[in-house]
Amino acid sequence: MNFKIDTKEKFHVISLNEPQFSANMTDKLHELFTEVTQNDVKHIILNLKTVQTLEQPAAQFLADEQQKAYASSRSFVLCEIQPPVKDTLKKFDLLDLLNVTPTESEAWDIVQMEEVERELLGGGEN
C-alpha cells in the first residue's frame, strides 16, 4: 500500500496514493491508524484524491473507523473523494455516516471545529 503521512500540530493527514482501495488494504490501514493515534496527535484526515475505486469491505471499514474515532473523542474526516468512490459509498448507504469534505483545507477546519466543540461540551481529549 502506497501512502503518505503529513503530521500537523493537531492531526495527521494520510494520503492514499493508490487508484483502488481494496479490502486487503484495510488491515494495514487499521494498523497505521492505531500507530499514528498513539501520541498526542489523535485526529486523522484521510485524503482519497487518487482513489478511483472502492471495494465494499473497504467502504464499511471507513464507516467503522468513523464510529471508533468518535467513540474515542477523535475526529476522522475523509477529503477529496472522487465521484466513483462517492457513488460507491452512496450505493452501500455509508456516505451519510462519514464526515466528508471536498478539500483538505476544509477537513482541517472540521477537525479544529470538532476539537473546540468537544472542549466546550467537556467532551474530553484534544
Side-chain angles (χ1 to χ4, degrees), residues 1-124:
M1 180 173 74
N2 187 8
F3 60 88
K4 177 184 150 205
I5 301 175
D6 185 12
T7 300
K8 305 290 187 191
E9 181 183 349
K10 298 284 185 182
F11 52 86
H12 303 279
V13 178
I14 300 172
S15 300
L16 286 185
N17 296 319
E18 300 277 351
Q20 180 177 9
F21 186 0
S22 61
N24 66 359
M25 297 168 70
T26 59
D27 286 343
K28 177 68 177 164
L29 202 55
H30 176 72
E31 289 174 20
L32 179 63
F33 289 174
T34 301
E35 180 183 323
V36 300
T37 57
Q38 293 303 307
N39 58 30
D40 290 338
V41 181
K42 301 210 179 286
H43 310 297
I44 295 174
I45 295 172
L46 185 61
N47 188 317
L48 299 176
K49 174 175 36 180
T50 63
V51 178
Q52 294 296 320
T53 58
L54 177 69
E55 292 181 356
Q56 194 277 334
Q60 186 61 53
F61 165 80
L62 294 174
D64 293 345
E65 287 298 315
Q66 176 80 53
Q67 296 305 314
K68 289 177 195 173
Y70 281 154
S72 301
S73 296
R74 293 185 292 113
S75 294
F76 180 71
V77 184
L78 305 177
C79 67
E80 300 193 35
I81 295 179
Q82 299 306 303
V85 173
K86 191 177 237 181
D87 291 344
T88 300
L89 291 168
K90 284 180 185 175
K91 175 182 170 185
F92 296 116
D93 293 322
L94 297 173
L95 186 62
D96 291 338
L97 302 177
L98 298 166
N99 203 349
V100 177
T101 63
T103 66
E104 188 176 306
S105 119
E106 289 172 284
W108 295 11
D109 293 342
I110 293 290
V111 170
Q112 292 169 344
M113 286 189 298
E114 287 181 347
E115 187 170 87
V116 168
E117 183 178 281
R118 279 189 285 272
E119 288 172 6
L120 291 174
L121 296 175

